[in-house]
Amino acid sequence: MRLIEIDDVRDAAQVIEGEVVRTPLLRADESLWLKPENLQPTGAFKLRGATYALSRLSAQARRAGVVTHSSGNHAYALAHAAARYGTPMVAVMPEVTTAVKREAVRARGAQIVLVPAAERESRTAALAAARGLTVVPPYDHPDVIAGQGTVGLEIVADLPDVDVVLVPVGGGGLSAGVATAVAALRPSAKVIGVEPALAADAAESLRTGTLCEWPVAQRARTSAEGLRGSLSALTLAHLRARLDRIVTVTEDEIAAAVPWLAARGRVVAEPSGAVATAAYLHHRSALPPGRTVAVVSGGNVDPAAFAAALRGGEIRDGAQRD
């Protein structure tokens, strides 16, 4: 199995330049910087990998159309990129996906197919076969991983002496790409994945050395819906080779990080986007010391739910829990 290398990430950076926002580093306290990927046009880092993967398809494949499965952010990103290319797109989304994410995808001209969460991948494969569409997966593809790796490229360029990079882990595309870039450019830095404790199958996979996939219903318990995916063999191989380790955070810790990011960083984060910061806030003593960057992976959150979080409630599937 071929792992992507730094040259793949550099190529992706050249291709997507001008198509995605080169997000800044924002200093949040004496040793923490934030990488606010919520500032992307689609509100999340996923635009990087989706844009690069689509660019790598043949003109014929782009004309025929693409299909993906996603809880929201990848579908939104691919719909945005597909609209730029004039490519037809179908998004297979879980029935529980928040309305704000569904409407964002639909507004970009994509067709949405809602299915039970456990049927996302099988329905995607069936649609691809029936309609002659190309599957652009949310993380299980080298081009997607290379595109997400540009986050790490920018971190090291802006903070060359970075010591620790905290990155959310769901399906593993972002963490695999970031770890690849940082390991090549700043070998002394530690790249640490952060995962919700209620969906910690990646932590188990790294601990056991084998791919562990928790039941969909079990992973669905976390408020961080963007991190409910499981690793693939490809992303696990990258993480085993290049990630330092994974730490897990509780739902209360995630919920507390959302208003902290708003107050201290002026950053709007969805629960998935807040997990890296949650690790810094609540597990700092267990992390390596030094200059730390937390990747805020996205900010596509329902406005009412975000308001509830600022009042001290929780965000859970777009609904308030006080």
Side-chain angles (χ1 to χ4, degrees):
M1 181 183 299
R2 177 187 178 272
L3 304 188
I4 69 159
E5 302 295 344
I6 188 61
D7 286 345
D8 299 303
V9 181
R10 286 178 170 140
D11 182 70
Q14 290 181 341
V15 170
I16 68 176
E17 185 177 6
E19 297 295 325
V20 305
V21 173
R22 192 192 187 289
T23 54
L25 288 183
L26 306 177
R27 192 157 191 174
D29 70 14
E30 71 280 357
S31 61
L32 178 67
W33 286 257
L34 306 174
K35 180 67 169 169
E37 286 295 293
N38 62 303
L39 298 180
Q40 294 295 342
T42 56
F45 74 96
K46 293 283 191 177
L47 186 59
R48 297 171 180 267
T51 299
Y52 185 56
L54 199 56
S55 78
R56 299 269 289 173
L57 297 181
S58 68
Q60 180 180 357
R62 287 197 294 268
R63 285 194 299 270
V66 295
V67 61
T68 195
H69 56 89
S70 167
S71 62
N73 285 339
H74 175 67
Y76 187 16
L78 188 60
H80 181 91
R84 295 290 297 269
Y85 278 102
T87 299
M89 182 199 153
V90 180
V92 178
M93 306 182 76
E95 294 168 333
V96 297
T97 300
T98 56
V100 66
K101 291 185 177 180
R102 291 199 309 268
E103 291 309 311
V105 174
R106 187 175 288 113
R108 289 296 190 277
Q111 177 190 353
I112 294 177
V113 177
L114 295 176
V115 300
E119 298 178 15
R120 289 188 303 173
E121 294 189 34
S122 61
R123 186 68 67 87
T124 298
L127 285 167
R131 301 188 191 181
L133 306 174
T134 298
V135 178
V136 180
Y139 50 85
D140 188 25
H141 195 287
D143 293 338
V144 173
I145 295 172
Q148 319 305 25
T150 59
V151 171
L153 206 67
E154 294 173 11
I155 288 172
V156 178
D158 290 348
L159 190 65
D161 54 356
V162 62
D163 297 305
V164 183
V165 178
L166 302 173
V167 58
V169 180
L174 176 63
S175 49
V178 169
T180 295
V182 175
L185 300 173
R186 174 71 170 167
S188 64
K190 302 296 185 183
V191 181
I192 298 175
V194 186
E195 193 174 33
L198 295 185
D201 49 337
E204 183 178 350
S205 294
L206 285 183
R207 185 171 62 251
T208 62
T210 59
L211 195 59
C212 301
E213 185 172 352
W214 289 11
V216 171
Q218 189 173 357
R219 287 179 272 128
R221 297 173 301 162
T222 180
S223 61
E225 65 174 354
L227 304 181
R228 292 171 182 168
S230 289
L231 298 182
S232 67
L234 180 63
T235 55
L236 176 59
H238 282 81
L239 299 189
R240 290 188 68 186
R242 294 164 181 167
L243 196 72
D244 183 71
R245 66 180 187 273
I246 289 180
V247 300
T248 61
V249 291
T250 69
E251 295 301 297
D252 286 344
E253 289 166 351
I254 296 170
V258 172
W260 188 93
L261 281 164
R264 292 294 296 271
R266 305 300 188 266
V267 169
V268 174
E270 60 188 285
S272 301
V275 297
T277 304
Y280 178 85
L281 294 176
H282 300 283
H283 300 270
R284 190 173 177 184
S285 62
L287 299 175
R291 294 163 292 273
T292 301
V293 173
V295 178
V296 181
S297 55
N300 289 321
V301 60
D302 178 80
F306 184 68
L310 298 186
R311 294 197 301 270
E314 295 182 14
I315 297 177
R316 184 174 295 275
D317 294 335
Q320 178 179 345
R321 286 177 48 140
D322 291 323

